[in-house]
């Protein structure tokens, strides 16, 4: 990420990016999605705004509420993250004798434990 010009990205930003992929989100709603206080979400949003990843604006439906949305620089950070993850995954899978079997086992494990639905709905959080 740093080599791609995104040396200010933190882990928490990745969770925010996930929720902004579909469009702008109210900061209060983001707090609920992230399982944090509105003050905490606002603090992360302000940090990401200073870094240029998001822009905050007034919610047209409620002048008291603030929404955040990705900037072009934020979208570039997401693409850089995807590229970095793909490179790491390819390197790791290259170390395995049977990567297809490993991936099939992970998929089966995710489905059996219910983690896949949490992952796909962006609710899976690190323990």
């Amino acid at each position: 990420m740093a080599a791609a010009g995104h040396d200010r990205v933190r882990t928490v930003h990745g969770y925010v990016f996930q929720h902004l992929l579909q469009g702008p989100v109210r900061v209060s709603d983001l707090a609920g999605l992230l399982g944090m206080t509105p003050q905490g979400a606002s603090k992360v949003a302000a940090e990401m705004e200073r870094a240029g990843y998001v822009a905050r604006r007034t919610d047209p439906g409620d002048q008291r509420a603030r929404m955040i949305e990705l900037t072009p620089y934020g979208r570039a950070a997401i693409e850089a993250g995807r590229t970095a993850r793909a490179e790491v995954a390819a390197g790791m899978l290259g170390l395995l004798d049977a990567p297809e079997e490993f991936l099939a086992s992970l998929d089966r494990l995710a489905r059996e434990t219910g983690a896949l639905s949490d992952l796909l709905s962006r609710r899976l959080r690190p323990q």
Side-chain angles (χ1 to χ4, degrees):
M1 293 291 295
H6 300 284
D7 58 337
R8 296 175 71 182
V9 172
R10 296 189 315 123
T11 302
V12 69
H13 298 166
Y15 295 106
V16 175
F17 285 144
Q18 289 179 20
H19 294 294
L20 296 179
L21 287 171
Q22 301 303 314
V25 175
R26 281 185 180 186
V27 174
S28 57
D29 293 338
L30 180 64
L33 292 167
L34 295 173
M36 62 185 349
T37 66
Q39 295 83 0
S42 185
K43 181 179 176 181
V44 172
E47 177 183 306
M48 292 179 74
E49 184 178 35
R50 284 190 300 275
Y53 297 122
V54 301
R56 286 194 286 183
R57 63 180 170 86
T58 302
D59 182 344
D62 181 352
Q63 296 297 310
R64 299 167 296 166
R66 298 289 176 260
M67 299 188 77
I68 61 170
E69 61 189 341
L70 290 170
T71 63
Y73 186 59
R75 291 195 182 280
I78 291 168
E79 289 306 314
R82 288 175 175 163
T83 299
R85 277 193 310 281
E87 289 172 1
V88 169
M92 289 182 169
L93 290 174
L95 298 173
L96 300 175
D97 293 329
E100 298 82 15
E101 290 178 29
F102 175 72
L103 292 173
S105 295
L106 282 180
D107 183 59
R108 190 171 56 251
L109 182 62
R111 289 180 192 281
E112 292 294 321
T113 62
L116 184 60
S117 64
D118 284 344
L119 178 66
L120 293 174
S121 63
R122 304 190 189 290
R123 291 190 314 257
L124 191 63
R125 292 192 174 94
Q127 299 294 325

